Amino acid sequence: MKLLTKVGDSVLLIFDPKQEPLEVGCAVEILAPDENRGVLAQVVDIGPLDLPGILTHVVRSVALESPAEVHAEAELGELQARIINMCYAKCKIRKEIVVENGAKKLEDWSGYSPPRDSKLSKVDEGRLLEEIVGRPSHPVVVGEDDSGKKACISAYHLQGLNIIAGKKGTGKSHVAKTVLLGLIDNKAQAVVFDINDEYSGLGFEEGGGESKYHGKVICLTPGENLRFELEYVGLDVFVSALEALKLPDASILEIMNIWKKLEGSAEKLTLEAIEEAVEKIGQSHVKLAIKRRLRSIKETGIITEDPVEAVYLEELFGEELKDGGALVINLKGQPTVSMIIVVQTVLSKLRELLNLGKLQRGRIFIFAEEAHFYLSKADWLDVVTLMRHLGLWQFYITNTPSMIPELIIRQADNLFLFHLDLEDDIARVAQTRGMDLETAKLTARSLPPRTFVLVGTATKDYPVRLRTTALGVKTAGETKQFFEKP
Amino acid sequence: MEERSFLERGFLDIVRECEDEASKFLRFQYTLDTAFHLHEDLAEEDVREELDLPLKRRPFEVVPLQSAEEHVPVVAVDASVIPLGETERGIVAAVRVAVVKQGSRPEVFGPYMFHVTPSNVGELYNALRKQLGLGKGKPPPLHKAPNRIMALLERIAQRYANKLVEDGILLWDGALTWSRTTPKEALVKAFRHALQRNNAIVAIAKRSYLRLADGSPIPDLLSDERRACYCKVPLELIDVKHQRFVLGEVFVVKFTPLGYPFRADVKAPEGGGAEALSKLKRSTSFRWGYPELLIEAHARAYFTSVEAVSLQMLAVKRYGLETVPSFDIRVHVLGPFGGRVV
């Protein structure tokens, strides 16, 4: 491996893939021989070297496709293959290496340019992460390096806004589960909005027995074992649900008046009580419109009058999950109105409980899969900006990062980037800290499945390339398929 | 030794037997943007001189070239050599020969690498002459040895090619002109062998130094023609002092209406040079008027820059050489003033 050129923050390396295999995302240490100084660069693009004269060689081999009987020097073929297959690696300089008393230290890059006769060597990502992060006080395994060594970051650095983005089937939910379990190990609490029923198996081992997380992962399905009392839901969430059902503003105003009257009366606030009050509305078209929406909400089964079957988050977090754990809310197959009521109720309750000090601030993490399905842009921004102050940390997991509002992306503290193809998606994730458009473009498209780049506060803005790691628990949902083989 | 065995093993055996050791290697600096085919690009100057045969007056008769009715087997031969670098004792070079017979699997002999030094050049050169049935000869100067070795190896391949066909055509690259590179005896023997199998030899030169009395190259004779045609150059029109070098019938031929005209030297049984050209036209396809088979032989023989560098690596590895930095005095002295900069 040799250094060829440096332009700006990019260096071009020449390497023989047979002798020193490099992949996109790999870290390369470039150390000047005598200067006790160097840079840490990361491979963002790899390709066959454009050797002068290679065109003639390739054209000849294409033109003379019919095989010939060749009698030649035995070793020549191998040597020739080495030259033909010589590669370039375009790398971005990420850090500067300073050697003091024989110890290497990583610092922010000062613009130093390593000499051409520098010594180049591939750096093991796991070791690199250790060097960058140090020994975390609250270790959370996020994946493993090429050698299979587990890679840890500190839960401390996940206290913020985190994005996990990647194409379907690349492993982003797997990483979300890995992080979730790591947080639970550190006694954190979490709420998971599970849109594909992928988290319900975490309480079980792959073989079927109970995992160590059994009892720490509570699965709730709206309308089945997740029901709220109407008062618990609150007027704002109720109105949001009616808006989602496209109830006109005038009718919503009627409902708000009814709600307030009922709240001030001795009568219990129930759907039936609201329905009775609606019957008294004079304008029949308003009455009919409201009644139709109320029926839709009733049919979701989320609202209950029975306090025994109603769910209270403060109870779940305060008792069953008091030593850490996750509340998995299965949104698979739920109508939009259900999703809105559930998600918004949970979020507003969490906000309220955190404000009142009934839940421990900074201990709860939200994992939201494909949040654009159940959060409007305004609500989403609200969640991000307000909740951070209350210590409600968030993970957004999506295969469509272009749907994440720009403001949110720019505030993200960490990005777990899996393979992405679409220009819009790549441009959006490129706005996260530690990432740039060129790196995002070249990296996102070349990441193989189950491989990701982690960048942000957790890695001191160095994009570390890692692979997902096996968890030993059931990580897949239970989708029944008619066709069992491809 | 039978020609094919010699090409397959015999040559390398000789190379190994008379190999001289060296310790230092000065690679030749290639700009790596060209392919190497010493036949033309680094041909010896004496060959050029001998081909420079001014014609006394202009030949006039241009005859349309018809395809013969009979399809005959055709085999083409081409060779190439590339100097890889210098050692403190001599030159390391590689040679390759291609034999392409229509409808058969092409055969490629080489690249074979050899280290030629003042102490082994005679042995190497005369081993090749011996294979051709020639007597011992004075070895060439070292700087010309790679080309001479290639030329002799090519003659051996041509003999092998002759055995692959009967009543057919042997396509050679170049001219039927003897020189220091190719002794007359070698050519005469090749003609005899061809005759024994009733084969015609057609040697096609992409570049000819044969010029008309007014100085224009002879292929220009047909440059205005828009049909397949040929023009025979009567030997009596060539200067007497040069006549003795030319051993076949000399034609300027345009095989296809839109192709380029080429000089073609023909040695055919019973002097049927024109007939051999008709048969060739019938029996092979052409690209820009040049026989496709000869193109393929050339394509399989020449060295690409990638091969040149690979061979240099092999030389360093095989002979355990230490690479020393090259020093080109021309670059150092003239570089800033328009001299070649590698």
Side-chain angles (χ1 to χ4, degrees), chain B residues 13-14 16 18 33-34 40 70 81 94-95 109 134 181 204-205 232 236 240 255 266 275 300 327 330 339:
Chain B
D13 289 344
I14 295 165
R16 299 280 177 272
C18 62
D33 53 1
T34 49
E40 295 142 29
E70 189 190 359
V81 70
V95 64
F109 303 97
L134 307 174
T181 312
I204 297 181
K232 188 172 177 183
E236 58 272 20
V240 178
F255 285 106
V266 185
E275 193 190 338
R300 292 192 185 274
F327 180 80
R330 184 164 41 176

Side-chain angles (χ1 to χ4, degrees), chain A residues 211 224 331 416:
Chain A
S211 76
E224 287 179 20
L331 298 174
F416 296 72

Side-chain angles (χ1 to χ4, degrees), chain B residues 217-260:
Chain B
I218 59 163
D220 283 6
L221 280 172
L222 301 184
S223 53
D224 293 333
E225 291 290 339
R226 291 288 175 269
R227 56 180 176 157
C229 57
Y230 67 88
C231 172
K232 188 172 177 183
V233 180
L235 281 182
E236 58 272 20
L237 293 184
I238 296 173
D239 261 353
V240 178
K241 63 173 179 175
H242 294 301
Q243 271 180 22
R244 62 190 183 98
F245 295 118
V246 182
L247 297 179
E249 297 174 74
V250 180
F251 293 87
V252 178
V253 61
K254 207 169 171 185
F255 285 106
T256 56
L258 296 175
Y260 294 106

Side-chain angles (χ1 to χ4, degrees), chain A residues 122-349:
Chain A
K122 193 179 156 189
V123 182
D124 174 271
E125 268 88 4
R127 184 170 69 79
L128 177 66
L129 196 59
E130 266 177 28
E131 267 176 42
I132 293 172
V133 176
R135 229 171 243 286
S137 314
H138 310 285
V140 172
V141 172
V142 284
E144 59 188 40
D145 64 16
D146 282 343
S147 66
K149 195 179 155 200
K150 302 277 185 209
C152 277
I153 56 170
S154 174
Y156 173 83
H157 292 116
L158 296 173
Q159 300 177 114
L161 180 60
N162 307 284
I163 309 280
I164 302 177
K167 214 166 75 169
K168 195 168 180 264
T170 50
K172 56 188 186 308
S173 293
H174 188 94
V175 153
K177 287 169 212 162
T178 312
V179 173
L180 174 66
L181 297 183
L183 289 169
I184 293 174
D185 288 339
N186 283 283
K187 300 196 184 314
Q189 295 172 322
V191 175
V192 180
F193 295 118
D194 181 6
I195 204 149
N196 291 314
D197 189 16
E198 289 184 90
Y199 294 73
S200 54
L202 293 178
F204 300 91
E205 286 179 346
E206 276 171 325
E210 288 180 0
S211 76
K212 69 170 183 171
Y213 300 103
H214 193 80
K216 291 192 169 185
V217 176
I218 297 172
C219 299
L220 298 171
T221 305
E224 287 179 20
N225 59 351
L226 177 61
R227 292 193 176 93
F228 299 114
E229 284 186 293
L230 195 57
E231 207 169 337
Y232 195 77
V233 170
L235 179 59
D236 287 346
V237 174
F238 194 67
V239 166
S240 294
L242 292 171
E243 279 172 347
L245 290 167
K246 297 191 167 54
L247 187 67
D249 287 350
S251 305
I252 286 176
L253 199 63
E254 289 284 355
I255 284 285
M256 288 169 80
N257 289 333
I258 291 170
W259 183 291
K260 278 171 188 162
K261 267 185 204 166
L262 285 171
E263 242 181 358
S265 73
E267 204 178 338
K268 190 178 179 188
L269 186 65
T270 62
L271 275 180
E272 278 72 23
I274 293 175
E275 275 175 326
E276 272 174 34
V278 169
E279 283 296 337
K280 292 173 191 162
I281 295 172
Q283 295 157 295
S284 59
H285 65 281
V286 174
K287 187 162 67 182
L288 276 173
I290 296 174
K291 278 175 78 178
R292 217 170 61 233
R293 269 70 172 196
L294 289 177
R295 203 180 313 124
S296 294
I297 292 174
K298 210 172 179 180
E299 278 167 5
T300 64
I302 291 169
I303 307 299
T304 180
E305 290 169 24
D306 184 356
V308 177
E309 62 176 22
V311 165
Y312 300 96
L313 295 178
E314 54 273 40
E315 283 178 13
L316 288 172
F317 283 118
E319 292 165 20
E320 291 178 62
L321 302 176
K322 67 175 190 295
D323 293 328
L327 201 61
V328 175
I329 299 171
N330 179 13
L331 298 174
K332 187 179 180 183
Q334 292 292 328
T336 311
V337 65
S338 276
M339 288 204 261
I340 289 169
I341 292 174
V342 168
V343 173
Q344 297 215 5
T345 302
V346 170
L347 292 176
S348 70
K349 276 293 141 192

